[in-house]
Amino acid sequence: MSECAHSLFISDLHLCDSRPQISRLFFDFLETRARSAEALYILGDLFESWVGDDEDTALSRSVVGALRRLSDSGVAVYLMHGNRDFFLAQQFADASGARLLADPTLLDLYGQPTLLMHGDTLCTDDRSYLAFRAQVRDPAWQTGFLAQPLAVRRTMAQQARSQSEHAKQEKTAAIMDVNHQAVIEILREYAYPRLIHGHTHRPARHVLEVDGHASERWVLQDWYDSGGYLHCDAAGCSAHPLTCPEPDPH
């Protein structure tokens, strides 16, 4: 299956210094499985947080270098914003060789219309999150945020993450999942494509019928404790888990 033309999809890696095993898994994935693909699509939340393209940490430099090597090898790399890394911008894209994707993006994937999303806008029952999303996506708010020193932005991001984790404890699992009617409406709007998204951390394949049309919805694996990717070619899509490599004893 890997010998035919195919593309790979990942999301919700949440790369950070506190989970080095996931970073190692990601770098191994880029050097092995991703090298045989036509394209790699990263559908949001590559990083646990990203407060501007002036980020300059050992991890960010390693990620940029690894993506650039993949891109230079001939694999097209596409990057969509998530709810944690929406400040990734053209400077990062230019350095890594990635191309930024709008959310949503519709493409012809080996003859199958396929809609790509991060997935957070489908969670319409989580009204407090959508209000927060609208605030931080406002251009005036972003301009003010990016005008702050890098250290201040990092502190603000840490505070926002802590508040988010606290808020999640007050919410039911259903509220944080996609709204079925929102899924129906987006599929109807884009003429019943296959849908691929992340965000919810509930990996699965769903088959549903909308207005007499069969549609497929793939939810991507998160990379908190392990990882995974979606392999798509002309025959369809299949999900594949990844296991973290054993730590180097030295």
Side-chain angles (χ1 to χ4, degrees):
M1 192 172 185
S2 61
E3 295 180 356
C4 65
H6 64 279
S7 295
L8 304 180
F9 298 82
I10 58 176
S11 73
D12 299 283
L13 288 87
H14 295 268
L15 298 177
C16 59
D17 289 332
S18 64
R19 294 185 299 121
Q21 75 280 10
I22 296 300
S23 298
R24 291 195 299 269
L25 181 62
F26 176 57
F27 296 140
D28 179 73
F29 169 76
L30 295 184
E31 293 293 337
T32 55
R33 291 167 177 82
R35 285 297 179 103
S36 64
E38 283 192 320
L40 172 66
Y41 293 83
I42 305 171
L43 300 188
D45 287 357
L46 173 60
F47 292 98
E48 177 71 2
S49 69
W50 188 263
V51 296
D53 279 2
D54 54 343
E55 277 281 18
D56 186 26
T57 64
L59 176 59
S60 66
R61 291 192 297 270
S62 294
V63 171
V64 166
L67 289 175
R68 169 55 72 177
R69 289 191 295 275
L70 180 65
S71 176
D72 287 348
S73 76
V75 179
V77 178
Y78 297 94
L79 180 63
M80 182 177 286
H81 292 129
N83 54 295
R84 298 295 187 96
D85 56 8
F86 50 86
F87 277 115
L88 284 169
Q90 197 59 49
Q91 182 179 331
F92 179 89
D94 290 342
S96 64
R99 288 173 252 184
L100 296 175
L101 284 180
D103 183 1
T105 286
L106 181 68
L107 70 156
D108 183 325
L109 189 64
Y110 309 111
Q112 172 67 48
T114 301
L115 185 65
L116 308 180
M117 305 179 71
H118 177 56
D120 56 337
T121 55
L122 298 172
C123 301
T124 55
D125 293 324
D126 194 348
R127 296 184 180 183
S128 61
Y129 165 71
L130 290 181
F132 171 77
R133 186 185 191 279
Q135 174 191 354
V136 299
R137 298 299 180 104
D138 178 74
W141 187 93
Q142 293 192 353
T143 297
F145 180 84
L146 290 172
Q148 301 296 320
L150 179 59
V152 173
R153 281 178 270 142
R154 286 172 174 164
T155 298
M156 293 173 66
Q158 179 60 50
Q159 292 171 344
R161 289 199 303 274
S162 296
Q163 292 170 0
S164 174
E165 291 304 314
H166 177 74
K168 285 180 181 179
Q169 297 175 11
E170 307 292 325
K171 299 175 182 178
T172 66
I175 285 177
M176 293 186 289
D177 201 356
V178 300
N179 175 279
H180 180 69
Q181 188 58 36
V183 172
I184 296 296
E185 290 173 3
I186 200 75
L187 292 175
R188 183 177 287 142
E189 178 181 352
Y190 284 89
Y192 320 106
R194 171 200 288 138
L195 172 60
I196 301 174
H197 70 84
H199 180 67
T200 65
H201 301 192
R202 294 172 171 85
R205 175 181 179 264
H206 303 271
V207 178
L208 58 162
E209 186 172 298
V210 183
D211 304 331
H213 299 269
S215 292
E216 184 179 44
R217 177 169 73 94
W218 285 94
V219 186
L220 299 176
Q221 168 83 44
D222 69 77
W223 289 51
Y224 269 111
D225 299 314
S226 57
Y229 63 95
L230 189 69
H231 176 293
C232 294
D233 59 23
C237 297
S238 57
H240 300 265
L242 293 170
T243 303
C244 289
E246 293 296 323
D248 187 343
H250 306 291

